[in-house]
């Protein structure tokens, strides 16, 4: 028969693993383009990703979108809305 200390340790490990699986799965749903629901809307040169997204957000909201994502891996950043 296993001791209570062993049972509690195993129970905590199983509980932590059960919690970690759903938490790690949710990050995949927040994937950047071309993930779920993103629409390409153009491209422009900005000094930074933050500057691009801050500048483009009012236009996105005026067109019915609520998020902006700028691809800063390119000099002229492709812009996506969702």
């Amino acid at each position: 028969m296993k001791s209570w200390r062993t049972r509690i340790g195993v129970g905590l490990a199983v509980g932590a693993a059960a919690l970690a699986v759903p938490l790690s799965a949710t990050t995949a749903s927040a994937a950047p383009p071309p993930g779920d629901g993103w629409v390409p809307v153009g491209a422009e040169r900005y000094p930074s990703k933050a500057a691009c997204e801050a500048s483009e957000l009012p236009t996105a909201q005026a067109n019915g979108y609520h998020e902006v994502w700028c691809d800063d891996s390119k000099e002229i950043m492709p812009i996506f809305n969702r």
Side-chain angles (χ1 to χ4, degrees):
M1 182 178 224
K2 293 183 180 182
S3 70
W4 281 105
R5 196 175 287 174
T6 302
R7 289 180 185 189
I8 290 172
V10 170
L12 290 174
V14 169
L19 181 62
V21 170
L23 290 178
S24 63
T26 58
T27 59
S29 65
D36 187 33
W38 290 101
V39 177
V41 295
E44 198 164 326
R45 185 184 310 259
Y46 283 97
S48 69
K49 179 178 179 66
C52 174
E53 291 174 351
S55 178
E56 294 292 329
L57 185 59
T59 304
Q61 290 172 334
N63 290 312
Y65 296 101
H66 62 279
E67 286 182 275
V68 173
W69 189 84
C70 298
D71 182 359
D72 63 344
S73 69
K74 298 174 176 37
E75 189 175 331
I76 297 176
M77 298 182 196
I79 302 164
F80 299 84
N81 289 346
R82 160 166 93 165

